[in-house]
Structure formats: structure tokens, C-alpha cells
Amino acid sequence: MLRKALALYVILLISGIACVNAFPLSGGNGIVNATVYGVTTESGSSYTNFHIDMSATHLGLSNGYLVELVDSEDRVHGTYEDGTNFGFGYRDADKRVVRNNNSIRGTLEFVVPKDAIIKRLKITPDDLDPFSIDWNGVPITSANGITMAFYSGQRMPSERQWIFDIKVTNTKNTTLSFSTEDFALRDNNGWIYIVDSLDSREMKLVPNESLRFPITFNDVGEFARPSEILFNNVTMDIGAWV
């Protein structure tokens, strides 16, 4: 097992393809701009909470911005709070918005159906034209006949354990055979964690078949922050999503 882990470690160090949804992401309407720095999620039985860390330029707008999430079905989702304005208003009072010259920054929370895939963030400044920041609601990356999508990552309370919700699609013309032990986690300090053999599951996907499933990593460092998920020479950057 140790030899397998060491061999996998060497392979992972020399391989990898970055996630297509690299942050920050920016957009604007020619007058004002907004930037998304990262997104984290919390999943419930039927919903997902999106926490979006973003900033926007401020040009003396009285009520700021209306910010909405638009999913792949073009459904619009407002923030968790009753008000959806992002700017100089009720958020100044509780100090949840930071000012920096002509910009403001804060974290907005949205509650959406669990299986919704976010397509874009729609931003409507007061008295100005709206604009969007486009991104897939989940990071997706592909290489070597494999497509991997990341839905969420959650640290278990009081445990050094992380559970990730992912989906693998076989885009090869042949059957893909793999085990959960083929996945690894790299943290922000470069440490590599391997799925415990007790959690090992063997899987097979025929061409164009997809499978969504959890993977679990134990004994992750107390202060470690997940950075990448690694699988069969595919590297997915999840640092901005957990």
C-alpha cells in the first residue's frame, strides 16, 4: 500500500490540468465592474447554500446592486436574506461590507435547489444596465478521456475528515475501470492525502456513462485547506470552492 501511495504521489507531482473555472472572475457594463473571488457551498438534503465572495466598484450609487444567481434552466435565485441589494445600505450597519477606495467587498449567501447548476451571476446596478459574470455552477475539467465535475466539499465537524461530492464521465471509447483509491487530495501546503483502503470501491463506466459519488479523505491536517483533487492524471483546482 505504501509503495502504491508513493508511486501515485510521484505521478501526481508531474501531471495535471487546471480547472477551467479559475478565480477570480470579472465582468462589467462599461461603467462599473464586479469580481468574484471564490465560492464555497454547504449542502443540505434538498438545497445548497452558495457563499459568493465578491467586490464591485462604487460610483455614488444610493442603494448598490441587485445580485442574483441564474441556473442552467434560467431560473433566478435571490440571496438568503430578504434584501438582495449588495452595497451601501443595511450591510454597512453590520459591517459585512468592506470599503476600499471606490470599491466594496462582501460575501453573499444564496440558497438554491440541491441539483441546480449555476450558469451566471446577474448584477443590476441602480439606474444602470445589468451585466453578468458567467461560470459553470460546478468546476469541470477534462483530460485523457475523463471528465470530472466537483459539486461540493465539506469538512466533518470535530473530525479531520473531508467529504467531496464529484461526478466522473467516461468519454473514451472503451470501458473505464477505477477505484476510489485512485483519487488523491492535495492541500494548500502541497501534502497529498490518499483515500483510505477501508473506503475503497471498485467502479466501471461504459463509454459516455457518468457516475456521481462521494469520496472521503481521513486524517487531513487540522489547518490544511484542500487545494486540488487528483485522479488519473487529471488535476482539478478546488481551492476557491471549499
Side-chain angles (χ1 to χ4, degrees):
M1 183 66 184
L2 178 59
R3 181 177 298 176
K4 177 183 177 182
L6 290 174
L8 179 59
Y9 176 78
V10 173
I11 293 173
L12 295 175
L13 286 179
I14 62 176
S15 65
I17 294 180
C19 171
V20 296
N21 294 289
F23 288 95
L25 300 172
S26 298
N29 61 9
I31 300 176
V32 294
N33 300 296
T35 299
V36 175
Y37 298 96
V39 179
T40 60
T41 60
E42 297 174 352
S43 295
S45 59
S46 60
Y47 64 88
T48 298
N49 284 10
F50 283 84
H51 300 268
I52 298 180
D53 178 5
M54 65 174 290
S55 67
T57 52
H58 177 71
L59 298 177
L61 303 176
S62 59
N63 294 316
Y65 299 81
L66 175 67
V67 182
E68 301 165 302
L69 286 181
V70 181
D71 66 22
S72 58
E73 300 297 326
D74 293 321
R75 294 173 298 189
V76 175
H77 307 276
T79 59
Y80 177 74
E81 301 184 23
D82 291 338
T84 54
N85 279 347
F86 172 59
F88 294 92
Y90 68 91
R91 288 184 174 276
D92 275 347
D94 57 19
K95 303 184 186 302
R96 293 176 59 185
V97 161
V98 178
R99 305 186 191 190
N100 182 16
N101 296 325
N102 292 324
S103 297
I104 52 177
R105 180 171 179 175
T107 299
L108 300 184
E109 181 180 354
F110 298 82
V111 180
V112 303
K114 187 176 181 63
D115 293 328
I117 297 177
I118 302 305
K119 183 169 65 175
R120 59 191 174 93
L121 190 71
K122 182 178 180 181
I123 301 167
T124 306
D126 285 356
D127 303 321
L128 294 174
D129 291 337
F131 60 93
S132 294
I133 297 177
D134 296 328
W135 88 87
N136 290 322
V138 295
I140 298 175
T141 190
S142 300
N144 304 323
I146 298 170
T147 295
M148 184 162 58
F150 175 84
Y151 289 89
S152 67
Q154 184 174 10
R155 181 170 183 168
M156 302 306 294
S158 303
E159 297 181 24
R160 294 192 302 274
Q161 180 185 78
W162 280 85
I163 299 177
F164 299 96
D165 180 7
I166 65 171
K167 182 171 72 174
V168 172
T169 301
N170 178 19
T171 58
K172 299 179 180 180
N173 294 323
T174 58
T175 298
L176 173 66
S177 300
F178 63 95
S179 166
T180 51
E181 288 186 74
D182 296 327
F183 290 87
L185 173 68
R186 180 185 283 135
D187 71 15
N188 56 320
N189 294 307
W191 288 92
I192 302 291
Y193 304 89
I194 308 298
V195 173
D196 194 301
S197 59
L198 296 178
D199 295 325
S200 179
R201 286 166 289 156
E202 301 293 330
M203 305 181 193
K204 289 186 178 182
L205 296 178
V206 299
N208 298 316
E209 182 182 9
S210 299
L211 185 63
R212 182 172 170 177
F213 53 90
I215 51 174
T216 302
F217 296 95
N218 297 317
D219 298 320
V220 178
E222 183 72 23
F223 295 98
R225 183 177 178 85
S227 176
E228 297 169 324
I229 290 180
L230 313 135
F231 171 66
N232 280 14
N233 296 333
V234 179
T235 298
M236 172 169 284
D237 183 352
I238 61 169
W241 297 81
V242 295

